Amino acid sequence: CHGCFDVLHFGHNRHFVEAKKAADILVVTVTPDRFVNKGEDRPIFSENYRAELLSGLEAIDYVALNEWESSVETLKLIRPDFYAKGSEYESIDQNVNPLFNQEKEILLSFGGKMIFTYEETSSSSDIVAKIKSL
């Protein structure tokens, strides 16, 4: 799994639990602060804090800070059997990250399999916006 994971919520945890069911080892990589483009004052938490929090979740075996804008280079290095994303990535019409197609192409190039999780979701950006409006 890969993502920003700025304000951790139940949807993230459910995603990791579902992803872990497909794998013996679950590796989660975190988007570096310099590539988070979710608006002013984001990320809320630094890359190190986000990684630390993720490392405490039971479903996750390893956490690493990604060095690049997307997970393309990380996928080339790790060459996972599976790459899990939330169901919002499944439809090209609803593609929330333009770099996702590159990630998927790299994964498929070495025989990896794309999987999607279908748990109830939430949104860190929506949570932040709601708090700011109070």
Side-chain angles (χ1 to χ4, degrees):
C1 300
H2 171 79
C4 177
F5 310 116
D6 188 16
V7 177
L8 202 60
H9 54 71
F10 71 91
H12 289 132
N13 190 58
R14 290 177 179 182
H15 172 66
F16 301 136
V17 168
E18 287 303 307
K20 177 67 176 189
K21 291 177 182 178
D24 295 324
I25 297 171
L26 180 61
V27 177
V28 176
T29 57
V30 175
T31 303
D33 292 347
R34 67 186 178 276
F35 294 121
V36 174
N37 58 357
K38 295 188 178 271
E40 188 179 338
D41 300 324
R42 298 288 301 276
I44 301 291
F45 296 102
S46 74
E47 58 197 32
N48 291 325
Y49 286 151
R50 292 181 282 131
E52 179 182 337
L53 184 57
L54 290 170
S55 71
L57 296 180
E58 185 175 338
I60 300 173
D61 297 296
Y62 297 99
V63 176
L65 291 174
N66 195 43
E67 295 183 28
W68 303 277
E69 184 176 12
S70 76
S71 65
V72 168
E73 296 301 321
T74 302
L75 290 168
K76 288 179 185 177
L77 290 170
I78 296 175
R79 299 175 65 90
D81 294 326
F82 301 99
Y83 183 48
K85 295 298 269 185
S87 59
E88 68 272 20
Y89 285 84
E90 190 169 22
S91 170
I92 292 185
D93 293 336
Q94 298 176 15
N95 194 358
V96 297
N97 178 350
L99 299 171
F100 170 70
N101 289 329
Q102 292 175 350
E103 295 168 346
K104 186 175 178 181
E105 286 175 18
I106 291 299
L107 177 73
L108 298 176
S109 76
F110 58 78
K113 181 179 177 187
M114 190 80 234
I115 61 172
F116 299 97
T117 60
Y118 298 96
E119 72 295 322
E120 183 180 357
T121 62
S122 185
S123 164
S124 296
S125 294
D126 289 349
I127 293 167
V128 169
K130 188 172 187 176
I131 290 170
K132 283 184 174 185
S133 72
L134 296 177

